[in-house]
Amino acid sequence: MENKIATPSVTKKILNKYNLNLKKSLGQNFLVDQNIIEIISSSAAIKGDEFIIEIGPGIGSLTQSILNKLKTGNLLAVEKDAAMVEVLNDIFAEENKLTLINQDALKIDWPEILEKYNPEKKKVKLLANLPYYVTTPIIMGVLESEIELENMVFMVQKEVGERICAGPETKKFGSLSVAVQYYMQPEIIHQVPANVFIPQPNVDSVIVGLAPYPENIYQKEVLNQDFFFQIVKSIFQQRRKTLRNSLSRSAIINLDRDLVTQALNDEGIGIKKRGEKLSILEMISISNRIYKMREEE
């Protein structure tokens, strides 16, 4: 297609042509601002020879921009809605760089997908305009799979993007901040108003970029990753409580109050500090201390 899809007129034309009824259950809101599309694809710094994954291509607004930047690379688009897959297959019928799969991104085995569709092991980048209701599980599903990514660039609800990027001692800093930042380094790239979508959502959005750390000191330092995330969830489950209370009264992990008290004192943190005041490294240090103390019991 020569015309830019991400415009009000072309988007409406496509919706009418294919008689598409947008599904609220799938969070379908289509971008109709080519400048925003360009910011998303340009932020991924596509050189042209990568293997790109796009989650939720919809009618292909971002897909079109990515394909225009690819030369010898490939694009794998993952779309849950079978009706959208039919539309994409028609719009991009002559595009041999594109592979479409009709799957739920929440249920994908990402290492298996890369093994199947990226046998040449090209550098991998992931782009997405994520449905708001599944933003967190999709992002965490990709990160927890620990596939090697050059970067991720995605658009999410503004509040979620701010939580992802928040640092200690801020109101938005929480378990999501720690979970994402444990794996990759986030930044808010651009603010996106609600009026650049059809239909218009009730909230504004942001474009977020995730880049790998030159060296991931968090994964290097942690003794037991599963235990660490149980500690993190416990810390923020009742964020107004002190560390001692949130950890010793957690419904997520069973910890003896005296053990928690000793661990916090041994770490020089004290029993009255709140979890939102801690850095990720301090949380890892507490987690490691408690983990070792339990192992020694």
Side-chain angles (χ1 to χ4, degrees):
M1 173 176 282
E2 291 183 8
N3 293 329
K4 300 295 184 184
I5 296 172
T7 63
S9 59
V10 176
T11 293
K12 288 175 183 177
K13 185 177 179 180
I14 290 172
L15 294 177
N16 291 332
K17 177 181 178 180
Y18 296 98
N19 196 28
L20 291 171
N21 295 313
L22 303 186
K23 299 180 178 68
K24 285 188 177 180
S25 63
L26 296 181
Q28 291 176 336
N29 301 86
F30 299 133
L31 263 172
V32 290
D33 188 312
Q34 189 59 36
N35 292 326
I36 301 297
I37 289 289
E38 186 61 27
I39 290 170
I40 297 173
S41 61
S42 294
S43 297
I46 299 170
K47 297 178 179 65
D49 59 350
E50 303 97 328
F51 181 84
I52 310 289
I53 299 170
E54 183 188 4
I55 298 175
I59 59 173
S61 304
L62 180 57
T63 311
Q64 185 181 47
S65 179
I66 295 170
L67 289 170
N68 286 339
K69 288 178 168 57
L70 284 176
K71 297 172 184 175
T72 59
N74 304 95
L75 172 60
L76 175 70
V78 181
E79 175 57 58
K80 182 179 180 180
D81 188 348
M84 293 296 172
V85 173
E86 288 186 21
V87 172
L88 290 164
N89 273 321
D90 189 29
I91 291 175
F92 299 104
E94 298 179 6
E95 186 53 76
N96 58 15
K97 292 174 288 188
L98 173 65
T99 300
L100 283 163
I101 57 172
N102 181 201
Q103 288 192 38
D104 184 347
L106 289 172
K107 299 176 181 177
I108 280 181
D109 182 320
W110 292 106
E112 185 179 284
I113 283 288
L114 290 183
E115 187 71 27
K116 180 176 181 180
Y117 293 103
N118 186 27
E120 298 176 19
K121 300 190 184 303
K122 294 179 179 179
K123 292 178 179 178
V124 181
K125 296 179 177 179
L126 187 147
L127 291 84
N129 176 12
L130 294 172
Y132 295 152
Y133 75 106
V134 288
T135 293
T136 298
I138 287 179
I139 292 171
M140 293 313 303
V142 173
L143 293 176
E144 288 168 359
S145 73
E146 298 197 23
I147 57 174
E148 189 174 344
L149 292 169
E150 272 212 323
N151 59 41
M152 291 175 65
V153 181
F154 48 84
M155 184 155 55
V156 295
Q157 183 177 339
K158 182 180 179 181
E159 182 186 348
V160 175
E162 289 174 344
R163 284 167 54 206
I164 285 172
C165 299
E169 302 196 43
T170 63
K171 290 183 179 180
K172 295 187 184 296
F173 185 61
S175 55
L176 178 60
S177 321
V178 176
V180 173
Q181 292 172 35
Y182 175 83
Y183 291 102
M184 298 182 84
Q185 188 170 3
E187 69 167 326
I188 291 177
I189 295 170
H190 194 77
Q191 306 275 343
V192 182
N195 62 9
V196 298
F197 292 92
I198 293 178
Q200 185 171 315
N202 297 322
V203 295
D204 289 337
S205 306
V206 290
I207 299 167
V208 175
L210 297 185
Y213 296 104
E215 180 184 12
N216 193 320
I217 57 172
Y218 302 137
Q219 290 180 308
K220 184 179 178 181
E221 291 292 325
V222 77
L223 288 179
N224 184 291
Q225 188 168 289
D226 291 338
F227 186 78
F228 167 66
F229 282 117
Q230 286 180 317
I231 291 289
V232 171
K233 288 175 183 176
S234 298
I235 286 173
F236 288 107
Q237 190 177 41
Q238 294 175 300
R239 60 186 299 140
R240 298 298 300 169
K241 289 188 175 182
T242 63
L243 273 170
R244 181 170 67 172
N245 287 340
S246 61
L247 290 174
S248 62
R249 297 176 184 175
S250 170
I252 297 168
I253 187 170
N254 183 26
L255 294 175
D256 178 78
R257 186 175 179 84
D258 290 339
L259 182 147
V260 170
T261 301
Q262 183 184 337
L264 293 174
N265 285 330
D266 288 349
E267 286 296 313
I269 288 171
I271 60 175
K272 293 186 177 181
K273 199 167 187 178
R274 289 177 178 160
E276 63 194 27
K277 303 288 186 180
L278 299 177
S279 68
I280 297 176
L281 280 176
E282 286 176 313
M283 292 182 196
I284 289 173
S285 186
I286 292 169
S287 169
N288 287 347
R289 173 80 66 174
I290 296 174
Y291 182 76
K292 285 190 286 188
M293 290 172 69
R294 284 182 44 152
E295 290 289 296
E296 291 166 0
E297 286 183 338

